[in-house]
Amino acid sequence: MSEVLHIAFAGNPNAGKTTLFNHLTGAHQHVGNYPGVTVEKKEGVCTHSETATDIRVVDLPGTYSLTAYSVEELVARDYLVNERPDVVVNIVDASNLERNLYLTCQFIELGVPLVIALNMIDVAEKRGIRIDTDKLSELMGVPVLPIVARNGKGVPELLNTLISVSHAPARPQTLLRYGTDIDEALREIVPLIEEHKLLTDLYPARWTGLKILENDQQIVDRVMLANASVGQKLIDCGETLSQHLQDTIEAYPETVIADHRYGFVRSILRLGEVTRLSDQDRLYASDKIDKVVTDRFAGPLLMALVLFGLYSFTFNWSGFLVDWLGTLFELLGGTVDTLLPDGPLKSMIISGVIDGVGGVLGFVPIIMFMFFGIAVLEDSGYLARVAFMLDRIFHFFGLHGSSVMPFIISGGIAGGCAVPGVLAARTLRSPKERMATLLTVPFMNCGAKLPVLTLIIGAFFSTHQAKYMFLATLVTWLVALLVAKFLRMTVLKGESTPFVMELPPYRVPTLKGLSIHTWERTWQYIKKAGTVILGISILLWAMMTYPGLPADKASEFEAMRRGVASSTGDQAAELVRIDRLAAEEGLRSSFAGRIGTALEPISRYAGFDWRTNIALVGGFAAKEVIISTLGTAYSLGQGAAEDTTSLKDRLRADRRWNPVAALAFLFFIMFYSPCFVTVVAIAKEAGSWKWAFFSMGFNTLFAYLMAVAVFQAGTLLGMG
Ligand code: GDP
Ligand code: MG
């Protein structure tokens, strides 16, 4: 007895489904209606003689999409999920690839076993369209067979493929991405759908989530029927997203999702050089812009200019605000100094709270300007092009085009955060490429490192701040890529996978949208300063203050002070000098001071003294703390008398700091262990703590070696 294979033909109207159906089944057809609706249902049978397989074919109604707006679309998608054909043959009109593949994306999202029959090859050829079917197949992750349904050319090969696909194990699904906002919403609701097994016997959870965000009435109803309370949560989430998108880019989720599907298709057609038109391209406005913007030569040049422009904008325009805020905090410190009596409370407020949190908050203007610039790039659609252009380079280094976004989100342009960056690496399908991405995104200059870089660059390389920041970014990328290459050649050896990414159309950003995006991110930064950073700051202050001077040392300083009183000469200056020595000695014998001192034998090769070590240890918790801790360490050690100079000036004045030591310090900061929250995120994403610990150890060792190299070379060359 022969086995029966059940296949369905699906595709746009006029793609040639019925022609192929008739060609295959001839007279063996049955025409009826789908239950309850007036949509015609055509079924037929044919035989694949080589394998003696009977094939039952259903010709589904033609559609352009799989929404719930038309009966045809509902019939088609219900058939696919309820009847579960063994293979779905997507008939695609080769002469109209872009529009046809839009529907293909939705079959991919739906997770059905798919084969693309590229029909009307004859028409395409006549119009001068050449299609690289192998490339198309590789990029879409689906077999592609060229056919001419009208004369049956290519149909036997199509049948062979159907038979083999029906026996092959399911391929991993290509994931489409829909931009930061929608991807984030999906990340929130998909786990809920999985946890409560909402419709999971019918649809992939991600598809259901997407449909809820698209506000698909049928799915919303079904979800509500299955579990009203969770359903309501999901719908609320969808509404929040919808409101957010309307506020920021004045678009509905449906539109944004559709844009990204088209973007996905367009990038496949362009990037893979899948199609070549011999004459008169029909170009959309976005495509016209892309011709220039992603040009092989003009593109990268423009990208460098744009990024440099971003730095100039940020640093040249935010300077006066930074100075202004700095003055404000100095004033605040001065006021507290005169108002409060000396003692631990005053010390905590000045050294712990004002110097600590103030040091972080002082950078809010820079962060804000940077975020504004990035929002312009992101909202306009340019950022996606940056990723697109960088793909080739990424491949060379053993990463993937989909790694670009995580890199940028983590601070590839400066001012991101590695935590969402690590989460964004989920779109990578190859585990090894994903791991290499997870391990290298923390190298990027996140919003927490930015103030440290700004401080050090401002203190020691102040003449060309924008240029140095730009350079720091280049170095970061170079190092991240080289380390990725190294990891991919050693612990993460393996194949690389082809690249696809979404190129949404360009939009003119609205001022409202830009303001909201800028403010959201800035507020997150401020909130962090007011909570986590405040807590760690106070803890570190306590560690730097207690247990204080040992009794014998304290009496030694007392004796010195008494000695001054009976001496001649400048008594006041001598007293200040003694106060300072006592303060430094006190810091050194504090808990933190002991840790810093214990590390000195190792750290001095990189030019870090025990005070810097305290700050760096604090940075394991959060990178912002580096500034606040340096602030505290240098204000505690300085004696309260001259507490009103800025940290920048204090560092510049300190004899242990010089440009070489500063450079070594910068290198260490940029590359050492990810902050604690990122480490936890890596552990979660990698599914084990092994890689999280690896990233702490590996990065710290690597950063140390870099810093030592810089410090030793610089000192040798006599630049210190
Ligand atoms: P359906 O809407 O997908 O069922 O498409 P049909 O099968 O009705 O085909 C639409 C039109 O395209 C008909 O006029 C077909 O004759 C024509 N057609 C289908 N396949 C081919 C092909 O491979 N080459 C050419 N030149 N025409 C085709
Ligand atoms: Mg038809």
Side-chain angles (χ1 to χ4, degrees):
M1 197 45 230
S2 56
E3 88 184 278
V4 178
L5 186 67
H6 173 195
I7 66 176
F9 287 174
N12 287 10
N14 290 316
K17 293 179 299 299
T18 307
T19 309
L20 181 63
F21 178 77
N22 289 340
H23 176 85
L24 277 178
T25 59
H28 307 281
Q29 327 188 336
H30 168 80
V31 180
N33 266 354
Y34 288 95
V37 289
T38 55
V39 177
E40 194 177 71
K41 181 179 187 183
K42 281 184 159 178
E43 273 196 67
V45 287
C46 66
T47 310
H48 183 251
S49 34
E50 286 94 323
T51 55
T53 309
D54 282 340
I55 302 180
R56 181 159 77 91
V57 190
V58 176
D59 184 16
L60 291 176
T63 65
Y64 293 108
S65 186
L66 287 183
T67 57
Y69 292 129
S70 77
V71 190
E72 283 79 12
E73 295 182 24
L74 280 174
V75 164
R77 80 183 198 195
D78 280 345
Y79 187 88
L80 295 181
V81 296
N82 294 329
E83 308 298 327
R84 305 243 153 215
D86 298 314
V87 184
V88 177
V89 181
N90 178 201
I91 320 283
V92 164
D93 175 356
S95 67
N96 201 347
L97 210 48
E98 182 165 332
R99 195 206 292 167
N100 276 252
L101 290 179
Y102 178 74
L103 179 65
T104 311
C105 287
Q106 299 180 59
F107 292 131
I108 292 176
E109 289 167 331
L110 194 51
V112 293
L114 199 64
V115 169
I116 294 176
L118 202 55
N119 191 27
M120 310 227 196
I121 289 292
D122 55 333
V123 182
E125 275 174 1
K126 221 171 280 162
R127 291 201 203 153
I129 304 172
R130 300 245 167 288
I131 300 174
D132 183 342
T133 48
D134 291 342
K135 191 91 188 186
L136 181 62
S137 162
E138 182 190 335
L139 295 175
M140 297 286 285
V142 173
V144 178
L145 279 295
I147 63 164
V148 179
R150 200 131 75 168
N151 62 21
K153 208 170 129 193
V155 174
E157 290 81 358
L158 175 65
L159 284 187
N160 292 341
T161 308
L162 294 184
I163 302 287
S164 61
V165 164
S166 68
H167 290 118
R171 290 192 181 211
Q173 201 188 340
T174 309
L175 281 185
L176 268 77
R177 278 161 306 167
Y178 310 95
T180 324
D181 288 328
I182 290 180
D183 285 351
E184 215 151 90
L186 281 176
R187 223 170 271 139
E188 203 171 310
I189 64 179
V190 170
L192 271 178
I193 296 170
E194 281 168 346
E195 184 190 336
H196 295 278
K197 300 206 166 34
L198 283 178
L199 313 181
T200 41
D201 50 336
L202 287 179
Y203 313 105
R206 192 174 153 87
W207 189 83
T208 308
L210 200 60
K211 287 292 149 186
I212 289 173
L213 298 183
E214 279 183 314
N215 198 16
D216 180 297
Q217 210 46 54
Q218 186 198 38
I219 299 301
V220 167
D221 290 346
R222 285 191 185 169
V223 165
M224 285 304 279
L225 206 63
N227 186 335
S229 71
V230 179
Q232 193 55 48
K233 238 188 257 173
L234 300 176
I235 292 163
D236 289 346
C237 193
E239 267 162 19
T240 313
L241 171 76
S242 177
Q243 195 55 52
H244 178 84
L245 289 176
Q246 285 172 55
D247 285 347
T248 52
I249 54 174
E250 294 175 351
Y252 288 97
E254 302 91 286
T255 323
V256 180
I257 290 170
D259 281 352
H260 280 79
R261 285 190 193 123
Y262 271 119
F264 176 83
V265 171
R266 219 177 292 138
S267 108
I268 285 186
L269 298 186
R270 251 186 75 81
L271 180 104
E273 289 177 24
V274 161
T275 54
R276 232 164 294 156
L277 291 172
S278 53
D279 52 276
Q280 335 132 324
D281 288 10
R282 284 176 311 109
L283 284 184
Y284 296 96
S286 280
D287 290 341
K288 277 191 191 143
I289 302 175
D290 272 342
K291 266 248 142 66
V292 180
V293 166
T294 65
D295 179 81
R296 203 173 285 226
F297 300 104
L301 206 70
L302 186 71
M303 179 167 71
L305 273 175
V306 166
L307 294 187
F308 186 66
L310 178 70
Y311 288 102
S312 305
F313 165 74
T314 303
F315 289 95
N316 296 341
W317 291 77
S318 64
F320 76 98
L321 276 173
V322 175
D323 291 344
W324 189 78
L325 262 181
T327 316
L328 190 77
F329 281 111
E330 277 168 30
L331 263 169
L332 199 63
T335 316
V336 174
D337 194 22
T338 47
L339 285 184
L340 286 182
D342 282 348
L345 180 68
K346 176 168 156 179
S347 162
M348 186 189 87
I349 290 182
I350 291 183
S351 292
V353 179
I354 297 180
D355 276 4
V357 175
V360 176
L361 287 185
F363 289 93
V364 165
I366 294 189
I367 300 276
M368 212 162 77
F369 275 65
M370 186 63 99
F371 284 158
F372 183 83
I374 291 179
V376 173
L377 300 188
E378 193 173 0
D379 288 6
S380 63
Y382 183 69
L383 214 52
R385 271 70 187 181
V386 171
F388 177 86
M389 281 184 279
L390 291 176
D391 169 63
R392 262 174 231 270
I393 304 176
F394 267 61
H395 254 253
F396 177 78
F397 288 99
L399 291 169
H400 188 268
S402 308
S403 315
V404 177
M405 262 325 189
F407 269 69
I408 289 179
I409 294 171
S410 301
I413 300 182
C417 175
V419 176
V422 162
L423 295 180
R426 278 186 194 169
T427 44
L428 281 133
R429 272 175 293 157
S430 143
K432 291 196 170 147
E433 286 169 347
R434 199 162 93 94
M435 193 56 73
T437 309
L438 286 183
L439 292 175
T440 44
V441 290
F443 285 149
M444 295 293 116
N445 291 325
C446 68
K449 289 185 213 171
L450 202 58
V452 193
L453 301 192
T454 314
L455 171 84
I456 301 297
I457 289 173
F460 296 97
F461 314 96
S462 62
T463 37
H464 300 287
Q465 221 174 338
K467 208 187 284 169
Y468 272 98
M469 275 308 297
F470 184 59
L471 266 179
T473 307
L474 286 187
V475 169
T476 312
W477 279 86
L478 193 67
V479 166
L481 290 175
L482 286 173
V483 169
K485 181 86 182 168
F486 169 76
L487 292 173
R488 292 283 278 133
M489 281 163 51
T490 54
V491 281
L492 293 171
K493 223 187 289 189
E495 292 261 311
S496 61
T497 51
F499 164 76
V500 184
M501 104 152 262
E502 298 74 13
L503 285 185
Y506 288 101
R507 289 173 198 275
V508 179
T510 63
L511 194 62
K512 190 176 167 203
L514 293 175
S515 323
I516 293 177
H517 276 150
T518 307
W519 179 243
E520 275 174 349
R521 288 173 191 170
T522 309
W523 178 237
Q524 263 183 353
Y525 182 82
I526 295 176
K527 248 187 354 204
K528 200 168 156 196
T531 53
V532 184
I533 309 299
L534 178 65
I536 301 173
S537 256
I538 293 181
L539 178 76
L540 282 165
W541 165 83
M543 285 181 65
M544 285 189 260
T545 308
Y546 299 103
L549 271 181
D552 55 330
K553 281 271 158 89
S555 50
E556 228 170 81
F557 283 114
E558 256 331 290
M560 280 166 76
R561 286 198 186 95
R562 277 196 302 274
V564 171
S566 58
S567 75
T568 52
D570 187 351
Q571 296 193 353
E574 188 58 14
L575 279 178
V576 168
R577 198 184 68 84
I578 293 171
D579 279 350
R580 223 188 261 177
L581 279 178
E584 180 167 334
E585 202 50 50
L587 178 62
R588 198 189 270 279
S589 49
S590 70
F591 293 119
R594 284 177 212 177
I595 298 176
T597 312
L599 289 172
E600 226 176 24
I602 313 170
S603 73
R604 77 193 156 98
Y605 295 104
F608 308 154
D609 72 338
W610 57 279
R611 269 187 235 216
T612 313
N613 289 348
I614 299 178
L616 292 175
V617 169
F620 273 93
K623 296 278 152 72
E624 288 92 340
V625 171
I626 296 172
I627 291 251
S628 51
T629 312
L630 273 181
T632 313
Y634 278 85
S635 83
L636 281 178
Q638 214 74 25
E642 23 182 335
D643 202 22
T644 46
T645 45
S646 73
L647 176 58
K648 195 159 99 180
D649 296 328
R650 271 181 254 157
L651 288 183
R652 233 191 323 234
D654 196 285
R655 68 190 154 75
R656 275 167 297 223
W657 280 84
N658 57 49
V660 171
L663 203 60
F665 183 67
L666 277 186
F667 270 91
F668 191 79
I669 300 276
M670 287 201 286
F671 302 119
Y672 87 118
S673 171
C675 71
F676 187 65
V677 187
T678 306
V679 170
V680 173
I682 292 178
K684 254 201 196 142
E685 291 302 304
S688 89
W689 278 91
K690 190 183 84 179
W691 287 108
F693 287 130
F694 176 84
S695 85
M696 287 176 86
F698 177 82
N699 291 15
T700 306
L701 181 69
F702 176 75
Y704 175 69
L705 294 178
M706 293 274 277
V708 170
V710 168
F711 185 69
Q712 297 300 337
T715 311
L716 236 121
L717 294 174
M719 295 190 303

